[in-house]
RNA sequence: GGCGUUGUGGCCGAGUGGCUAGGCAGAGCUCUGCAAAAGCUUGUACAGCGGUUCGAAUCCGCUCGACGCCUCCA
C-alpha cells in the first residue's frame, strides 16, 4: 500500500488562512506550480529559501508515493520597472546596460540559478518552462479575456479590467483586500495613465522603439504582462484546475491575486486548490532584496566571502539551518545562528555514522513505530520540518543509547529505524553527509607542527621518532623534503 | 493611511487551552593519566494591560514594538 494512504497531510491554505486536509484532485497525483525566478541577476539566499521550502514539499510528496508533476517557471521576459506605463523590461534594461543580447542575460543567470540550486541539493522540477517560450499561449488567453469583456485595449496595450471583474467575482480574495479600499487608498497618482483604473494590470504591453524584446500580437509589437505567464504555463501543464501553487509571500499580492483573476476570467474556474506561501529570509532585521542591497549570495556561504560570516559553511549546513525554521515563519539569518546549526548538524551526522555499526538484539526496548510515526506526524502537519528535526534528535538519543547498550532493538526494528532515519534526513530533508570540512589552512598548520616536532627530535638525535614522523606522513601522502632553507612538504 | 503576519528562556526556533518541543550556549555528572571530544542530566520563557475560563504563552480586546504587502521582488 502506498504511504500516502496512511499518512494524511494538512496544508495551510493561504486562500482560507487555515490548515486543510490535503485531498488531491486525482488520487495519487499531485500537480504543483511554483513561481520561479526572474533571471536578470544572481539569485540570493532568500530566493533559495523559498525554492528550498517547495523542494521539501516536493520531496515529501514523492516519498509518500505520489506521482508529482512539479512545474517551476523561469521568467525570462522581465518585469516592468517603475511606473508600468513608461517602464522598461528588466531583462532588456540589463542587456542594454551591459550591451549584450537579452537572451545572454537570461542564459547566464539561468545557468547560475541551476548551479546554485544544485549545490543546495534541490531536486529539479519536472517541467521548467520559460515565459518567452509561451508567448502564443499568452496571446490566446488575452484574446479570450477580451472576448469576455474583462480586458480592453488602449494604444496597442491590453489591460485587465479589475473593476468589471470585481462586479461578479472578488478581486482580493487571496490577499484579503477589498477593491473599494484599494481605490480609496490609492497612492499619489504618477502621471497620466492608459488604464481606466489604477488597479488594472497589463496583459500585453506595446513596445516602445527602444525595447529590444518584442513579439508580434494582434494589438502591437510588444511583450506580455508579468502575471500572465504563470497562468499560461500552469494551465498548459497542469490544467485549468490544479492542486498546489506556491511562491514567496511577497508574490501574494498583486502577482497571485492577478493570476486568480486572469485564470477565472479565462477558464471560468478558480485555478488552484491550495495556495502556499513561503516566508521571507531576513538579514539585519530586513527582508533580503537585491534592490536594497540587503542580501547575501548563496555562493558566499560556501566560500565564506562575506563580512558577516566568520568562515565558510558547506551548503548543506545552510540548508539544515533553513529547515530548522518552518517555511511560513520569517527566518533571521546570522552567523551565530548558522554556527549553532552547524554544531547540531554534525551531531546528527555523527549519529548517522554510528548507526551503521549497531548490532541487532533479540528484543526491542524502544518503540520504533511510535518514533517513526512522530516523524510522519511532523511532516503531515503542514510540512513542519523543525518538528521533524526535533524528532530526529530524539533518534540521535536513541542511537547513543544503542551504542552504550542501554537500549536494544530487534533486527526488524533496527532495520525500520535505520531506514526511517536515513529516509527523512537524506530523501525528505535533502541533507548531505559532509563529514569533514576540508580546510587546507588547518592542514598546513598541522603539518608545520609535525615538522617542528620532527626537527626537535633530529636535534636530540631521536632518529626513531623523526623517521617515524616522516614515514607515516609519507604513507598518508604528505612528503617531507629537507632542504637547505628548512623542511618543506608536498601533497 | 489600508490589508496581513508577528512579538517565546542568553541566542536560534517549534507549539497546544491544563501534560518539559528541539538545537546552540551555560551548569552538573560519566568517561579520561591530564585536557579535549563524546555521552547523560538540567532550563519553568512566552511584549504590556485588561477580559473570557476551574485553568491561557495558547481565545478576545486594547496599548506598544517588529516585519511583509499596498511599485519590481522568493
Amino acid at each position: 500500500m502506498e504511504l500516502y494512504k496512511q499518512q494524511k497531510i494538512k496544508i495551510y491554505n493561504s486562500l482560507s488562512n487555515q490548515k486543510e486536509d490535503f485531498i488531491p484532485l486525482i488520487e495519487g497525483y499531485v500537480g504543483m506550480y511554483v513561481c520561479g525566478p526572474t533571471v536578470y541577476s544572481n539569485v540570493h539566499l532568500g530566493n533559495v529559501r523559498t525554492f528550498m521550502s517547495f523542494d521539501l514539499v516536493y520531496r515529501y510528496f514523492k516519498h509518500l508515493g505520489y506521482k508529482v508533476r512539479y512545474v517551476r517557471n523561469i521568467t525570462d521576459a522581465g518585469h516592468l520597472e517603475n511606473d508600468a506605463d513608461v517602464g522598461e523590461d528588466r531583462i532588456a534594461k540589463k542587456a542594454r546596460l551591459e550591451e549584450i543580447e537579452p537572451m545572454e542575460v537570461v542564459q547566464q543567470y539561468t545557468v547560475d540559478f541551476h548551479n546554485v540550486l544544485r549545490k543546495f541539493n534541490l531536486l529539479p522540477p519536472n517541467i521548467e518552462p520559460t515565459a518567452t517560450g509561451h508567448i502564443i499561449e499568452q496571446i490566446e488567453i488575452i484574446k479570450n479575456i477580451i472576448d469576455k469583456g474583462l480586458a480592453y485595449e488602449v494604444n496597442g496595450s491590453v489591460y485587465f479590467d479589475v473593476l468589471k471583474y470585481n462586479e461578479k467575482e472578488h478581486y482580493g480574495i487571496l490577499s484579503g483586500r477589498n477593491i473599494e479600499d484599494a481605490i480609496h487608498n490609492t497612492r499619489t497618482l504618477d502621471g497620466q495613465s492608459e488604464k481606466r483604473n489604477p488597479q488594472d494590470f497589463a496583459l500585453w504591453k506595446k513596445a516602445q522603439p527602444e525595447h529590444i524584446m518584442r513579439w508580434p500580437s494582434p494589438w502591437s509589437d510588444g511583450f506580455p504582462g508579468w502575471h500572465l505567464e504563470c497562468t499560461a504555463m500552469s494551465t498548459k501543464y497542469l490544467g485549468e484546475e490544479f492542486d498546489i501553487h506556491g511562491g514567496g509571500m511577497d508574490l501574494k499580492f498583486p502577482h497571485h491575486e492577478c493570476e486568480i483573476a486572469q485564470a477565472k476570467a479565462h477558464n471560468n474556474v478558480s485555478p488552484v486548490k491550495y495556495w502556499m506561501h513561503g516566508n521571507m529570509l531576513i538579514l539585519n532585521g530586513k527582508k533580503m532584496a537585491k534592490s536594497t542591497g540587503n542580501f547575501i549570495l548563496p555562493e558566499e556561504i560556501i566560500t565564506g566571502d562575506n563580512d558577516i560570516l566568520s568562515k565558510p559553511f558547506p551548503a548543506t549546513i545552510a540548508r539544515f539551518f533553513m529547515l530548522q525554521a518552518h517555511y511560513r515563519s520569517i527566518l533571521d539569518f546570522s552567523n551565530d545562528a548558522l554556527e549553532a546549526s552547524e554544531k547540531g548538524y554534525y551531531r546528527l551526522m555523527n549519529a548517522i555514522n554510528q548507526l551503521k555499526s549497531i548490532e541487532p538484539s533479540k528484543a526491542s526496548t524502544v518503540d520504533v513505530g511510535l518514533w517513526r510515526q512522530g516523524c510522519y506526524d511532523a511532516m503531515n502537519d503542514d510540512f513542519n520540518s523543525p518538528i521533524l528535526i526535533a524528532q530526529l534528535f530524539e533518534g540521535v538519543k536513541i542511537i547513543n543509547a544503542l551504542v552504550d547498550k542501554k537500549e536494544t532493538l530487534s533486527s526488524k526494528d533496527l532495520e525500520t529505524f535505520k531506514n526511517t532515519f536515513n529516509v527523512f534526513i537524506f530523501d525528505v530533508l535533502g541533507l548531505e553527509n559532509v563529514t569533514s570540512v576540508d580546510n587546507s589552512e588547518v592542514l598546513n598548520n598541522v603539518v608545520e607542527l609535525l615538522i617542528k616536532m620532527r626537527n626537535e627530535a633530529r636535534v636530540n638525535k631521536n632518529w626513531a621518532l623523526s623517521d617515524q614522523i616522516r614515514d607515516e606522513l609519507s604513507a598518508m601522502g604528505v612528503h617531507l623534503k629537507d632542504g637547505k632553507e628548512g623542511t618543506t612538504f608536498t601533497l
Side-chain angles (χ1 to χ4, degrees):
Chain A
M1 188 162 91
E2 289 86 353
L3 274 169
Y4 65 75
K5 289 180 179 166
Q6 301 160 21
Q7 307 297 342
K8 297 299 179 191
I9 297 179
K10 279 185 186 291
I11 292 181
Y12 185 90
N13 191 347
S14 300
L15 205 51
S16 63
N17 284 325
Q18 56 190 19
K19 284 180 195 170
E20 299 175 5
D21 292 328
F22 175 69
I23 301 162
L25 290 163
I26 303 167
E27 193 190 312
Y29 291 82
V30 177
M32 176 163 124
Y33 187 93
V34 172
C35 288
T38 306
V39 281
Y40 69 96
S41 66
N42 299 296
V43 289
H44 62 251
L45 198 64
N47 302 115
V48 172
R49 183 190 181 201
T50 295
F51 300 125
M52 190 181 291
S53 296
F54 292 104
D55 185 57
L56 177 76
V57 170
Y58 177 47
R59 284 168 175 275
Y60 189 57
F61 276 130
K62 278 178 56 136
H63 167 65
L64 291 187
Y66 282 105
K67 302 255 191 311
V68 189
R69 178 174 286 176
Y70 173 25
V71 181
R72 188 185 62 210
N73 66 291
I74 296 280
T75 297
D76 57 352
H79 302 170
L80 299 179
E81 276 204 326
N82 307 319
D83 176 29
D85 289 336
V86 296
E88 185 171 6
D89 185 288
R90 276 198 163 182
I91 288 164
K93 182 181 179 186
K94 179 99 179 179
R96 201 168 48 71
L97 290 175
E98 297 184 359
E99 293 183 348
I100 53 177
E101 276 292 321
M103 275 299 155
E104 275 184 271
V105 176
V106 165
Q107 179 70 16
Q108 178 186 339
Y109 293 113
T110 300
V111 168
D112 173 75
F113 174 64
H114 287 153
N115 284 341
V116 167
L117 295 198
R118 200 174 304 118
K119 283 177 183 161
F120 284 79
N121 203 26
L122 276 79
L123 299 174
N126 299 289
I127 302 176
E128 192 168 48
T130 61
T132 57
H134 298 76
I135 301 292
I136 291 169
E137 287 85 348
Q138 295 182 68
I139 289 172
E140 290 305 310
I141 293 175
I142 298 170
K143 281 184 192 166
N144 185 242
I145 297 176
I146 292 175
D147 287 347
K148 289 183 175 173
L150 289 168
Y152 55 90
E153 187 208 330
V154 182
N155 300 329
S157 292
V158 181
Y159 297 96
F160 189 89
D161 193 336
V162 170
L163 282 186
K164 187 89 178 291
Y165 171 82
N166 198 243
E167 288 171 9
K168 289 182 180 170
E169 302 282 354
H170 175 196
Y171 180 82
I173 189 171
L174 178 66
S175 52
R177 284 157 212 252
N178 288 312
I179 190 77
E180 289 79 11
D181 293 342
I183 290 166
H184 293 310
N185 290 300
T186 308
R187 291 176 160 197
T188 48
L189 285 166
D190 28 14
Q192 67 284 20
S193 173
E194 296 175 339
K195 297 186 209 169
R196 290 180 189 168
N197 187 291
Q199 279 68 44
D200 293 350
F201 55 90
L203 298 175
W204 187 264
K205 287 294 293 182
K206 180 182 179 177
Q208 300 303 309
E210 64 271 23
H211 272 107
I212 36 188
M213 290 182 97
R214 53 170 67 207
W215 292 265
S217 81
W219 313 284
S220 65
D221 276 10
F223 49 92
W226 169 39
H227 314 302
L228 194 56
E229 56 176 280
C230 290
T231 297
M233 295 186 277
S234 63
T235 303
K236 178 161 184 171
Y237 299 112
L238 296 170
E240 296 178 0
E241 226 184 335
F242 56 96
D243 297 300
I244 293 174
H245 189 129
M249 198 71 98
D250 48 356
L251 297 184
K252 201 170 176 181
F253 188 89
H255 183 54
H256 291 157
E257 201 69 73
C258 294
E259 270 191 68
I260 292 175
Q262 285 166 353
K264 263 191 174 168
H266 178 53
N267 294 322
N268 303 313
V269 60
S270 188
V272 176
K273 274 187 83 179
Y274 305 92
W275 282 92
M276 297 178 68
H277 291 96
N279 219 324
M280 301 291 102
L281 187 63
I282 298 287
L283 181 64
N284 298 321
K286 299 277 182 195
K287 167 187 172 182
M288 279 196 198
K290 282 175 211 136
S291 54
T292 59
N294 185 237
F295 65 91
I296 180 166
L297 293 175
E299 300 283 353
E300 292 169 349
I301 301 281
I302 300 164
T303 61
D305 186 21
N306 188 302
D307 288 345
I308 71 162
L309 295 172
S310 62
K311 60 177 183 133
F313 294 88
T316 195
I317 285 173
R319 183 174 177 114
F320 182 68
F321 160 72
M322 291 197 259
L323 291 173
Q324 274 187 301
H326 185 83
Y327 77 91
R328 279 191 292 111
S329 296
I330 291 169
L331 176 62
D332 265 297
F333 182 89
S334 70
N335 190 255
D336 286 353
L338 199 56
E339 283 187 345
S341 289
E342 180 184 35
K343 291 183 181 169
Y345 164 85
Y346 282 118
R347 210 177 135 221
L348 196 58
M349 290 303 155
N350 286 341
I352 275 243
N353 294 335
Q354 296 212 60
L355 189 53
K356 290 167 192 155
S357 56
I358 290 171
E359 299 292 330
S361 301
K362 280 182 183 148
S364 297
T365 56
V366 178
D367 190 339
V368 171
L370 190 68
W371 173 80
R372 175 175 181 269
Q373 187 54 43
C375 293
Y376 282 100
D377 288 345
M379 286 303 287
N380 292 342
D381 185 13
D382 197 29
F383 309 97
N384 200 320
S385 55
I387 297 283
L388 170 62
I389 289 170
Q391 187 69 3
L392 291 172
F393 275 108
E394 292 304 316
V396 170
K397 281 189 184 171
I398 294 172
I399 290 172
N400 289 329
L402 290 169
V403 170
D404 290 350
K405 310 267 194 248
K406 287 176 182 160
E407 304 277 8
T408 58
L409 288 181
S410 68
S411 62
K412 190 185 167 199
D413 278 349
L414 182 60
E415 200 51 42
T416 302
F417 183 76
K418 279 184 181 174
N419 185 45
T420 305
F421 209 80
N422 278 289
V423 159
F424 275 100
I425 287 178
F426 298 117
D427 296 351
V428 175
L429 293 176
L431 298 175
E432 294 169 295
N433 195 345
V434 180
T435 44
S436 62
V437 183
D438 185 5
N439 196 322
S440 54
E441 194 182 342
V442 171
L443 179 65
N444 269 1
N445 293 340
V446 168
V447 176
E448 290 298 337
L449 178 66
L450 283 166
I451 288 172
K452 196 172 146 201
M453 291 175 69
R454 174 169 169 270
N455 285 338
E456 280 169 18
R458 291 170 78 201
V459 168
N460 295 328
K461 298 194 192 304
N462 186 348
W463 309 118
L465 179 59
S466 67
D467 289 353
Q468 184 189 358
I469 290 172
R470 183 184 58 205
D471 295 344
E472 292 195 11
L473 278 177
S474 181
M476 285 181 255
V478 180
H479 305 290
L480 301 188
K481 294 180 201 167
D482 297 319
K484 286 177 184 169
E485 306 300 319
T487 305
T488 58
F489 73 96
T490 57
L491 293 173

